[in-house]
Amino acid sequence: MKQEISSLMDGELFEDEAEGLLDRIKHDSSSLMDWEMYHLIGDVLRQPEHIHCDLSARVRKRMQDEPVILAPRGRAVKQKVRAFALSAAASLLAVGMVVWMSLQISPEAAPQIAMQQTANRPVNLQIQSNSNEYLMAHQEFSPSTEMNGGASYIHTVSYGTDEK
Amino acid sequence: MKLHLAFCETLLFGLLLVSANAFASEERSSLDWLRQVVYATHQTDYTGVFVYQHDNRVETSRITHVVEPDSEYEKLESLDGPKREIIRHHGQIWCYINQQMEQVDSRQGRNRFPSLLPEQISALSSNYRIKEGGSERVAEHTTKVILFQPKDNLRYAHKIWVHPDSGLLLKAAVLGDKNKLVEQYAFTQVQIGGNIDRSWIHTIASNANAASGVQQSVSEDSVSLDGAISHTPPEKSKGGAYVGSGWMVNALPQGFKKTLEIQRHMRGKHAPVTQLVFSDGLSAISVFIEPADGDEDDTEGLVSRGAMNLYHKVVEKNLYTVVGEVPPHTVMQVLDSVRLSGK
């Protein structure tokens, strides 16, 4: 039997012989041990620095300890599809944001907004031209003049003055 | 055990007291800073370039302030846009617009009115939460940052950057709702003390004397005058007189106290205008009342320029104008509450 196992490992058996032998090894624990032992000897001879003892038994034991996940296959696939769809949507959104932001930053957009603001404000042009007198009269008594000095008079000579 | 508890209580109370003291002292020192700022603005020679930022606009100006034995001289020049200049001296204000000098306002013959009274500074802490915000560098100087956060939404927040050695404001920002910047001044370069050009003072001084000379010669009849000062009413009436006009404002934001009530002449106005000024220590609200002369000018409207808001409205044959460094809704609220006492 040991001779046969050795021959099998060396690849000296015919296919039908090998199948019969493997079938027997599966059902005979001592033969199985021999089979594993031969493999171990072979491994040690080929890679002496990686000596391992009964690794397969330990792997098997760990496999038995692992919980068995009973999940339908289809759902995992669906989740993957959904994740992909979401990330695709996110990247589309990102592209959209960039486009939108570049539109916001575009030089034409800013004056438009500014114009809208001035349009919304109930500014009367006559008042605007007249308001400097009041601003000036107010300024001299305002604490802001005390703190900022003449700088606060900028209100009265600001560009607004020329928008008559 | 009881003793232990008592000890704990004492300790806690002590801690509270200490922290309260620390808080009070911080406020007090901030107010001291403010007093120093007010003093420095008038007593320091300085010149510098500053940037004024408001309503999506940026303007650059140069300011020069010198103290002479007689009084302060101050010049504000625009460095971009059309050339504009404002000169202040001894309560007089001169404007150079379109290469022409115009005297636009004068307080001659009237004592300089301190618009930031010491008691107003002390009252600031009841209207604003005052916080010191560490130090920041402005125009090559290390400054002390102080934030005045209003306790209601009827006024703006003010943030100032004070130069500790001189007490000058090197930067000042007005913040609105959600700390949105309403306007901001910031020096980009400043010279404090030292050798500052004073050659322009003499030209102003001679102009001022010439103007007052003309006025003296024609006494109070300025009708026949031509040129730049033809619109200038006589000095005497322009200064304004303190009055008790009987006008009242019912819906002022809390903490605003009346600092002034005068009757004055204003350019382009035939009838005298009553001006009431209210201040909370950092911002002021002026209420102007004049008879409505039925001009097309006298229409209702709101004008904003940086932190300054102006609201205009005719009520019962009177034109009311409210101006202040307060949000638009505040000037509108104030205007709608103007009443003549007894009505």
Side-chain angles (χ1 to χ4, degrees), chain A residues 114 117 121-124 126-163, chain B residues 41-42 52 54 57 59 61 63 74 76 80-81 84 86 88 93 104-105 107 112 115 169 183 185 260 264 267 269 275 279 281 284 286 288 290 297 299 302-303 305 308 310 323 325:
Chain A
Q117 279 178 344
R121 220 180 260 162
V123 174
N124 183 302
Q126 267 106 34
I127 296 171
Q128 183 110 45
S129 67
N130 214 6
S131 59
N132 276 331
E133 300 300 319
Y134 294 103
L135 292 181
M136 199 79 91
H138 168 76
Q139 199 71 69
E140 61 181 301
F141 302 117
S142 169
S144 67
T145 311
E146 293 292 310
M147 282 166 60
N148 297 339
S152 54
Y153 275 85
I154 191 89
H155 287 123
T156 55
V157 285
S158 172
Y159 279 78
T161 319
D162 306 294
E163 289 176 348
Chain B
T41 308
H42 293 290
Y52 174 54
H54 71 112
R57 282 210 186 99
E59 297 173 34
S61 308
I63 189 159
E74 191 171 74
L76 179 68
D80 46 20
R84 288 144 297 148
I86 279 192
R88 292 201 304 154
I93 297 165
V104 289
D105 207 348
R107 285 191 282 161
R112 234 199 100 260
S115 48
L169 279 197
E183 68 169 24
Y185 309 86
L260 185 83
R264 62 187 296 160
R267 279 205 310 172
K269 301 284 175 191
Q275 181 181 8
S279 171
S286 278
F288 298 92
E290 63 203 278
D297 288 10
T299 36
L302 178 75
V303 180
R305 196 170 296 163
M308 199 72 95
L310 181 147
V323 185
E325 304 92 356

Side-chain angles (χ1 to χ4, degrees), chain B residues 69-244:
Chain B
D70 60 334
S71 183
E72 307 165 48
Y73 288 85
E74 191 171 74
K75 185 166 70 163
L76 179 68
E77 312 159 76
S78 64
L79 299 182
D80 46 20
K83 190 172 161 56
R84 288 144 297 148
E85 224 175 284
I86 279 192
I87 287 166
R88 292 201 304 154
H89 164 61
H90 214 274
Q92 297 176 85
I93 297 165
W94 305 81
C95 244
Y96 287 85
I97 300 168
N98 307 323
Q99 288 137 25
Q100 208 177 18
M101 185 188 70
E102 283 183 52
Q103 185 176 19
V104 289
D105 207 348
S106 169
R107 285 191 282 161
Q108 214 171 29
R110 181 151 36 110
N111 288 333
R112 234 199 100 260
F113 192 85
S115 48
L116 199 55
L117 300 163
E119 57 265 36
Q120 276 182 298
I121 294 181
S122 311
L124 264 181
S125 48
S126 58
N127 304 320
Y128 296 88
R129 266 185 291 273
I130 305 164
K131 274 192 282 187
E132 288 197 25
S135 38
E136 272 179 39
R137 198 160 160 265
V138 179
E140 290 189 307
H141 294 280
T142 306
T143 59
K144 199 152 183 56
V145 188
I146 304 169
L147 179 69
F148 299 88
Q149 196 80 46
K151 291 183 178 175
D152 56 27
N153 64 352
L154 294 170
R155 57 203 111 203
Y156 289 127
H158 296 256
K159 198 172 176 182
I160 59 171
W161 286 255
V162 187
H163 182 233
D165 299 341
S166 67
L168 282 177
L169 279 197
L170 297 188
K171 188 172 168 182
V174 177
L175 308 167
D177 202 19
K178 291 171 190 140
N179 280 339
K180 198 171 158 277
L181 188 71
V182 177
E183 68 169 24
Q184 179 172 287
Y185 309 86
F187 273 105
T188 56
Q189 173 270 320
V190 67
Q191 182 198 334
I192 301 161
N195 195 16
I196 293 171
D197 175 38
R198 290 163 190 256
S199 57
W200 54 277
I201 291 173
H202 307 292
T203 60
I204 299 316
S206 61
N207 275 328
N209 290 336
S212 56
V214 168
Q215 300 235 319
Q216 268 167 16
S217 68
V218 294
S219 84
E220 289 192 18
D221 183 15
S222 62
V223 182
S224 61
L225 278 174
D226 60 345
I229 52 168
S230 64
H231 307 292
T232 313
E235 284 295 326
K236 262 185 196 165
S237 50
K238 240 202 143 179
Y242 297 99
V243 290

Side-chain angles (χ1 to χ4, degrees), chain A residues 1-8 30 34 38:
Chain A
M1 183 79 183
K2 277 179 184 172
Q3 189 61 49
E4 282 176 282
I5 290 170
S6 179
S7 303
L8 173 66
S30 73
D34 287 341
Y38 283 143

Side-chain angles (χ1 to χ4, degrees), chain B residues 276-295:
Chain B
L276 284 77
V277 184
F278 304 91
S279 171
D280 71 347
L282 276 186
S283 10
I285 300 174
S286 278
V287 180
F288 298 92
I289 302 140
E290 63 203 278
D293 47 11
D295 280 2

Side-chain angles (χ1 to χ4, degrees), chain A residues 9-123:
Chain A
M9 283 176 66
D10 292 341
E12 290 167 357
L13 291 181
F14 291 108
E15 206 168 88
D16 53 339
E17 285 175 318
E19 272 186 10
L21 183 60
L22 282 170
D23 218 40
R24 272 186 287 148
I25 292 168
K26 269 187 217 166
H27 294 102
D28 182 358
S29 62
S30 73
S31 303
L32 194 63
M33 287 263 285
D34 287 341
W35 164 260
E36 283 174 357
M37 189 60 76
Y38 283 143
H39 272 282
L40 184 60
I41 291 164
D43 283 348
V44 171
L45 284 172
R46 279 187 293 271
Q47 298 170 311
E49 63 269 34
H50 291 286
I51 299 167
H52 49 270
C53 312
D54 208 6
L55 186 67
S56 56
R58 269 193 266 164
V59 169
R60 208 176 298 125
K61 197 172 176 293
R62 282 292 297 273
M63 294 265 287
Q64 276 169 349
D65 289 343
E66 287 272 313
V68 179
I69 298 160
L70 294 168
R73 227 189 147 79
R75 201 175 140 199
V77 173
K78 239 192 241 169
Q79 260 179 345
K80 262 187 193 162
V81 169
R82 200 188 297 156
F84 173 73
L86 277 174
S87 69
S91 50
L92 252 177
L93 196 72
V95 170
M97 275 293 279
V98 169
V99 170
W100 180 77
M101 274 165 73
S102 62
L103 277 176
Q104 295 297 302
I105 297 161
S106 78
E108 294 87 24
Q112 254 178 5
I113 292 162
M115 271 166 67
Q116 269 176 354
Q117 279 178 344
T118 34
N120 290 343
R121 220 180 260 162
V123 174

